[in-house]
Amino acid sequence: FDDIVSNVINKRDAPAWGPNAQFRYPMNGTGHIWLKVFEALPKANKKLNAKVTAVRTKEGDKHLEMADGSKIKYDGLLSTMPIVQLLRMTPDNPELAELAEGDNGAADHSKFKHQTVNLVGVGVEGVQVPDALNGVHWVYFPEAEYIFYRVTVLSNFSPLMVAKPYKQWSLLIEVSESKHRKVPSSSAELRKAVLDGLYRSGMLPKDARIITIWDKRLEYGYPVPYVERNMHVHAADAALRKHGIWSRGRFGSWKYEVANQDHSCMLGVDAVDSMLFGGNEAGREATFNVPNKINQQYRKYDYNFDANELARQAGRAHTFSNPPRRLLKLP
């Protein structure tokens, strides 16, 4: 709390908790990054729509059991599924499942606390974004009168984030759900409550022409930091690694402070380096073991960067117009 008050008074960022004040964003969306990575992988090593039903850990016969009856052998296994599900999927070592047991009040009835999120997307015809949203990435709503807690102006990240660039704009709304916060049970009621809040908050003009609306419920939305978290996570990690299993990723590691896409990628890189080489120049899985140290390494915010110069330095042919609003560099 003291750090929060000090940062507000001194107008200072807290980079160790995430580099969100300023960031680069792919023109075609972040999914394009992983699509390119996927395309670069050997075709023989890719298997889609393959559901794992059990992780067998018996020494000398380690393998995955698939829903179609096939088996995939492994020496070292990197899993990105929620660690709760992984622990409950190891019949050769039932004691692992006990490491997940608890009562977090959520649907998975485990000791690992998480936040369920309902996403709602709204597509709008035209380009007249409200003046208050010009250059805005996202807005938080702590007020109880709104069903959502955050609204992201996704089309401000890139004009290509809509079906018809420069002719449409879009919002992505997040609605939290837990035993403490109930949400409408039907999709229609959820959408109605969201639209009502958007109109009242000024995020959506009254005369906006909505051309599409979409929603999706994510049981696992955010891994929640809690007092016993590291104790739970590292006890499970130590038990799994005895069987050659690394549980990593947003809900594999269950560490909110290293749960973004870039963090999750490096968690995988570090895990593979640990399997094959015992670590890398940053240490043994630094992203997982010392997240604050890793986050402090982010570049200092360059508030007045030149997008065209960055493209030139990267050897790209892209050209960019000036953003509608730049962040002011604080003294």
Side-chain angles (χ1 to χ4, degrees):
F1 179 78
D2 290 342
D3 288 342
I4 294 174
V5 173
S6 175
N7 288 342
V8 170
I9 293 174
N10 294 293
K11 299 181 179 180
R12 183 173 58 225
D13 290 317
W17 195 248
N20 291 333
Q22 188 180 93
F23 51 87
R24 301 181 190 181
Y25 194 86
M27 290 292 286
N28 292 301
T30 53
H32 200 65
I33 298 174
W34 312 118
L35 179 61
K36 290 297 184 182
V37 171
F38 178 78
E39 290 174 349
L41 297 174
K43 187 175 181 179
N45 295 349
K46 294 185 283 195
K47 190 177 179 69
L48 300 178
N49 300 314
K51 183 178 180 180
V52 178
T53 57
V55 179
R56 311 304 305 218
T57 53
K58 186 177 180 180
E59 200 62 41
D61 188 26
K62 296 179 180 179
H63 64 272
L64 305 179
E65 291 184 353
M66 314 302 291
D68 63 3
S70 63
K71 298 180 180 180
I72 301 176
K73 293 185 177 181
Y74 70 88
D75 294 312
L77 176 64
L78 175 57
S79 169
T80 62
M81 72 174 72
I83 194 171
V84 172
Q85 297 178 9
L86 176 62
L87 291 168
R88 292 170 172 169
M89 203 177 285
T90 54
D92 296 328
N93 294 92
E95 70 277 6
L96 292 177
E98 296 176 6
L99 294 172
E101 297 312 308
D103 184 15
N104 58 10
D108 65 354
H109 303 291
S110 78
K111 65 175 62 172
F112 292 85
K113 298 180 182 180
H114 69 274
Q115 190 72 49
T116 297
V117 174
N118 293 269
L119 300 175
V120 178
V122 178
V124 185
E125 190 72 32
V127 293
Q128 192 56 46
V129 178
D131 289 341
L133 300 183
N134 184 20
V136 172
H137 293 135
W138 55 74
V139 180
Y140 286 101
F141 290 83
E143 300 91 344
E145 66 178 290
Y146 299 113
I147 191 173
F148 42 77
Y149 64 89
R150 181 163 72 169
V151 177
T152 298
V153 191
L154 201 57
S155 51
N156 276 356
F157 286 45
S158 166
L160 303 185
M161 296 304 295
V162 292
K164 296 180 180 179
Y166 306 105
K167 295 181 179 180
Q168 300 168 336
W169 58 283
S170 63
L171 299 173
L172 179 64
I173 300 94
E174 296 175 61
V175 180
S176 65
E177 175 187 338
S178 71
K179 65 178 181 180
H180 304 292
R181 187 175 180 84
K182 303 299 182 182
V183 301
S185 57
S186 74
S187 177
E189 291 177 345
L190 174 64
R191 294 180 180 190
K192 183 178 183 300
V194 165
L195 289 176
D196 176 67
L198 292 176
Y199 289 132
R200 287 189 292 106
S201 65
M203 295 295 290
L204 192 63
K206 293 289 186 180
D207 60 351
R209 183 186 171 196
I210 298 175
I211 53 176
T212 183
I213 187 167
W214 161 95
D215 66 89
K216 182 177 180 63
R217 181 181 184 274
L218 301 176
E219 174 62 39
Y220 292 99
Y222 288 87
V224 175
Y226 57 98
V227 174
E228 307 90 351
R229 183 204 65 179
N230 281 1
M231 179 176 66
H232 294 163
V233 168
H234 287 277
D237 174 62
L240 287 167
R241 283 194 294 107
K242 288 180 180 178
H243 302 286
I245 301 173
W246 275 254
S247 180
R248 298 292 182 266
R250 185 174 179 88
F251 280 99
S253 303
W254 215 278
K255 293 188 176 183
Y256 174 77
E257 63 272 32
V258 281
N260 287 341
Q261 293 182 44
D262 49 354
H263 290 122
S264 295
C265 179
M266 289 310 301
L267 284 166
V269 171
D270 288 352
V272 172
D273 283 345
S274 180
M275 290 182 198
L276 300 180
F277 314 117
N280 51 36
E281 60 183 14
R284 189 163 189 132
E285 297 198 74
T287 310
F288 177 70
N289 290 311
V290 285
N292 282 348
K293 179 180 178 181
I294 290 297
N295 282 336
Q296 289 283 8
Q297 295 175 357
Y298 280 107
R299 67 182 176 87
K300 297 293 186 286
Y301 301 138
D302 179 10
Y303 290 84
N304 199 33
F305 68 91
D306 185 330
N308 288 305
E309 177 60 20
L310 289 176
R312 188 192 65 78
Q313 292 174 6
R316 304 294 186 184
H318 303 311
T319 57
F320 302 90
S321 58
N322 289 329
R325 180 183 299 174
R326 291 187 182 276
L327 293 172
L328 297 177
K329 192 169 186 177
L330 299 175

